[in-house]
Each structure stands twice: as C-alpha cells, then as structure tokens.
C-alpha cells in the first residue's frame, strides 16, 4: 500500500520560502506523477503542480512564478518550494500521486504564514 | 481557467436516501473528471475518475455519469460513512481546478 507523508514546517514568515517534502513508501516513484495540492482553512482545493519521476514539471499558472517542485527518487521523496509567501498562502498542503486523478494522498500539513 | 460549479453547496439527507450532486464545467471537458470525498481533518479520497470509472475499493453505491459540461455523482442508499464533503475536479486543460464542494449532512 502506497503511503505519502508530508514534512511539517509549521510556521513560515511572510516573504520567506515555504519548503515541504513528501516521503513516499510502499511503492516505487518510477513511472508515476507526483502532485501538490493545497486547501486554505475552510475553503476548497487548489492544484499547485506536479512532477514526473524523471523530473518534468507542470505548474498552476497562478503560482508558477513562485513554485518549484523537485524529485529525489533515490530517497523516495519529492519537494515543494513556494517563495515570497503571504498570509494568502496559509493552507493545508497535500502531496498526492497522480497526474490527472489523484489516487493516493498524504494526510496533509498545515502551513501558517505569520510573523 | 475552466470553472467548476457544484450544486447544491449543502445537501441534507437521511440514511438510505439516493443522493445526486451536480458538477458543471464552464466549457467542455469531455470525460476528464474525477470525484473525491473528504471528511473533516482528512485528505480527499478518490471515488470516480474519467467521469464514470469507479476507483478500486470504492463501494458500488457510488456512481458517476456525464460528459461535456454536466456531470453527476450519485450515491445509492446513503450510509452513515458517506456524510462528508464531495469535490469534482477536471483535468482537461491546465490548470486542473476543483469545484467548491458539496457538503452532505444528516437530515
């Protein structure tokens, strides 16, 4: 059974860079796409972007200038960096497997942007 | 961006009811649509993909239909475990977007 687990950065200061890692266990990262999605408290879901195990990426245009997703298949991990964060970036961040439909999800981690 | 609009936003139903949730796309998305169930404090769970394909392990009381711009998620004989929020998501063209959610409450 594939399992995903996000790291827990907790609090990030405005204008800094949010960094998250998703650890994948119970299966290989090879031949799959890996995604990030976020959900502001009490609100709906927003697709951030995905990365293929080989490294090719696709990002939501609304975040593209600030987002970088990378992959480390040797350690079964992929990562999200979101720069110049503001309070609007406060959300639960989820990692998931898939390019289209998302079939396995991490439990999510709340990232709060505050000074 | 393609806008996904779900209706209703909230639905009150009883155990055993047949429930239908609608998702409308602002332009045609063929059958590139998924449905998810989310419970409070939990990650979404994939129920349906390609508009009508049931994800492995999902009970058969869940079904999806539609194509183009109008889609439905139907739950036959609502069970206590089904009270949750449901989201549709398209993957026709970037960026993927989600509906605003439909909360299924106990009547």
């Amino acid at each position: 059974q594939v399992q995903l687990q996000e790291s827990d950065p907790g609090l990030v200061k405005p204008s800094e860079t949010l960094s998250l890692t998703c650890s994948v266990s119970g299966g290989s990262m090879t031949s799959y796409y890996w995604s990030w999605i976020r959900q502001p408290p009490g609100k709906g879901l927003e697709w951030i972007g995905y990365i293929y195990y080989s490294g090719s990426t696709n990002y939501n245009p609304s975040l593209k200038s600030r987002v970088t997703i990378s992959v480390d298949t040797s350690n079964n991990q992929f990562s999200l960096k979101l720069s110049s964060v503001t309070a609007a970036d406060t959300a639960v961040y989820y990692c998931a497997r898939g390019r289209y439909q998302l079939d396995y999800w991490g439990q999510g981690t709340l990232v709060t942007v505050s000074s | 961006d393609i806008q996904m609009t779900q209706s209703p936003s909230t639905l009150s139903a009883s155990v055993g009811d047949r429930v239908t949730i609608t998702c409308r796309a602002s332009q045609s998305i063929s059958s590139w649509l998924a449905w998810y169930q989310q419970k409070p404090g939990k990650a979404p769970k994939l129920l349906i993909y390609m508009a009508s394909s049931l994800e492995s392990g999902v009970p058969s009381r869940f079904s999806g239909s539609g194509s183009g711009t109008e889609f439905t998620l139907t739950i036959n004989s609502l069970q206590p475990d089904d009270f949750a929020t449901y989201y549709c998501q398209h993957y026709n063209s970037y960026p993927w977007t989600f509906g605003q959610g439909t909360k299924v409450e106990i009547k």
Side-chain angles (χ1 to χ4, degrees):
Chain A
Q1 177 80 347
V2 175
Q3 293 186 313
L4 294 86
Q5 177 70 56
E6 301 89 351
S7 60
D8 182 14
L11 193 65
V12 180
K13 290 182 168 51
S15 80
E16 295 189 342
T17 296
L18 178 164
S19 296
L20 287 171
T21 296
C22 182
S23 299
V24 179
S25 60
S28 172
M29 295 189 74
T30 303
S31 300
Y32 287 101
Y33 288 80
W34 303 91
S35 295
W36 288 97
I37 303 94
R38 69 181 183 179
Q39 184 171 36
K43 296 188 178 180
L45 298 157
E46 180 180 30
W47 174 72
I48 298 171
Y50 64 66
I51 189 165
Y52 193 41
Y53 80 100
S54 61
S56 60
T57 56
N58 204 305
Y59 301 138
N60 190 323
S62 69
L63 298 168
K64 188 173 184 176
S65 63
R66 300 193 291 130
V67 169
T68 303
I69 299 176
S70 57
V71 65
D72 178 0
T73 54
S74 62
N75 286 308
N76 265 27
Q77 294 179 335
F78 63 108
S79 299
L80 169 71
K81 290 188 186 299
L82 181 66
S83 64
S84 304
V85 297
T86 70
D89 296 309
T90 293
V92 175
Y93 284 76
Y94 294 100
C95 57
R97 189 182 81 170
R99 176 183 186 182
Y100 301 121
Q101 70 270 13
L102 305 166
D103 57 0
Y104 289 97
W105 293 63
Q107 65 186 25
T109 186
L110 175 63
V111 179
T112 302
V113 178
S114 175
S115 55
Chain B
D1 298 3
I2 296 174
Q3 306 303 312
M4 307 300 292
T5 303
Q6 291 181 230
S7 59
S9 296
T10 306
L11 187 161
S12 296
S14 302
V15 173
D17 284 353
R18 183 172 187 255
V19 164
T20 299
I21 298 168
T22 298
C23 177
R24 290 186 173 87
S26 59
Q27 65 188 71
S28 177
I29 58 169
S30 185
S31 295
W32 304 112
L33 185 98
W35 288 98
Y36 300 87
Q37 175 194 68
Q38 186 178 34
K39 296 181 179 178
K42 301 294 187 182
K45 173 188 175 183
L46 177 66
L47 301 175
I48 302 284
Y49 61 96
M50 281 300 292
S52 61
S53 295
L54 191 68
E55 173 69 356
S56 176
V58 174
S60 59
R61 63 180 180 272
F62 291 92
S63 63
S65 64
S67 66
T69 62
E70 187 153 337
F71 302 85
T72 58
L73 172 70
T74 299
I75 310 172
N76 282 305
S77 188
L78 196 68
Q79 297 300 300
D81 191 48
D82 301 338
F83 292 97
T85 299
Y86 294 83
Y87 292 93
C88 60
Q89 173 225 337
H90 88 84
Y91 41 94
N92 178 79
S93 59
Y94 299 113
W96 309 158
T97 55
F98 294 82
Q100 82 280 14
T102 294
K103 185 176 183 179
V104 177
E105 296 182 327
I106 300 173
K107 194 172 186 178

